[in-house]
Amino acid sequence: MARLSYGRILKLTRIVKQFVPEGKIDNIESFGGGRINSTYLITMRQESERVKYLLQNVNNTVFRDTEGLMKNVIAVTEYIREHGGRSLEFIQCSESTAPESLNGPYIFVDEENLHWRMYHYVEAEVYPCIIESEDAYMLGEAIADFSRSLDGFDATELFETIPGFHDTLKRFEAFLLAVANDVISGAKRCESVKSEIEFLLKHKDDMGILVNALNNGEILYGVTHNDPKINNALFDKVTGKPICMIDLDTVMSGTPLFDIGDALRSIANTDSEDAKTTENVSFSLEIYEAFVDGYIKGMKGCLTDKEKELIPYSPLVIGLELGMRFLMDHIQGNIYFKTEYDGQNLERARVQFALVEDIERKLKSGELQRILKKAETDLN
């Protein structure tokens, strides 16, 4: 990790003082490998105690309304703590900070229009990726703990940081429009992906499995994390139990099934999301079973029958959604996802569609439902 320049350290020191004016800064270092926000570990001496904080530059190009974003984060974290759980604790800007430089009490805006926030560092174990089934179990338990800790929270009050993020029906409409625009413009990028377009048309009814259940009141709205990677979960170094979820910028209203589906379509894929072919793509029953076991145990009976019924279908829906987004981006000329070459988004779409096909096979055979039933039985 590159060393910080004197100029950078001086700038960061001034920003830290906007949040914690008292105390001497002992050390500042880059922290983590986030692709959107830049984070720094701050060690301070306050009287006889050394205290650690995380200072973060919130990417206000990606998240344009950082005040709305922080209202979400504060509402969720405070609710968790008020109900006996653990969560990140953010620090308000000091009273000496000029009001015109604020975008809400938790965001400091510097002279370059960069948006900053600060919160207490939590000593914890962080795992970079899923390696074996035990890791999948821990992620399932962490996602369940997050959902359960927000039971009773009014998710409808949350600001939509990314509008329509998991609204698969609206995303399908946008996809069809992209296809129509390609035909009308004469770009002809659709001509080589007719089979992939046909695949999505064949699965149009599957697109709405989760959204329709929400809209029909079959399942209730709740808080979704929307980036449920294992490195976004903190675990106790001694017990291995989840402490809390982090990276809460995409917290929104939805169904926890979005998080389950997103986690499973990612961790249970036996090949890379960026694989060039689909020959090694399948849906791992071992990883699925471990995750579901951790999730069911972590929820401690706080699931409706309909929610449990839809768990095996959630990675199918989110796999379709992501594959559709990759294919749409390919058709539009790779304007959203970063690519190393033209055609990479098409390869990514094909990987997701191959995964969906294997999930379908395992749904039709009843394997996914049997694993879920076993996890429920073991709980009782």
Side-chain angles (χ1 to χ4, degrees), residues 19-20 53 89-93 105-107 117-120:
F19 294 92
V20 186
Y53 302 95
E89 292 186 56
F90 289 82
I91 302 166
Q92 290 192 30
C93 294
Y106 292 92
I107 292 289
R117 66 184 172 199
M118 196 166 175
Y119 52 97
H120 292 273

Side-chain angles (χ1 to χ4, degrees), residues 63 68-77 80 146 150 153 155 157-162 165 222-227 245-254 259:
F63 301 108
L69 180 153
M70 284 308 298
K71 283 180 179 178
N72 282 0
V73 172
I74 296 303
V76 164
T77 53
I80 291 172
F146 177 75
L150 288 160
F153 181 89
E157 72 179 54
L158 294 176
F159 168 75
E160 202 172 14
T161 53
I162 305 176
F165 187 58
V223 178
T224 55
H225 183 280
N226 291 313
D227 194 11
M245 296 291 287
I246 60 173
D247 201 357
L248 304 172
D249 295 340
T250 52
V251 163
M252 287 180 278
S253 175
D259 286 342

Side-chain angles (χ1 to χ4, degrees), residues 256-317:
L257 289 160
F258 291 156
D259 286 342
I260 299 170
D262 196 15
L264 282 171
R265 70 102 210 131
S266 174
I267 66 175
N269 184 352
T270 55
D271 205 348
S272 167
E273 192 172 279
D274 283 319
K276 294 183 180 298
T277 69
T278 61
E279 57 188 31
N280 295 319
V281 174
S282 65
F283 189 73
S284 169
L285 292 178
E286 179 185 356
I287 294 296
Y288 171 77
E289 181 171 10
F291 177 92
V292 166
D293 197 30
Y295 184 78
I296 293 295
K297 285 184 171 64
M299 286 302 291
K300 299 179 180 178
C302 298
L303 283 170
T304 67
D305 289 341
K306 188 63 179 180
E307 286 171 331
K308 286 184 282 189
E309 177 191 326
L310 291 175
I311 286 175
Y313 293 88
S314 61
L316 176 119
V317 174

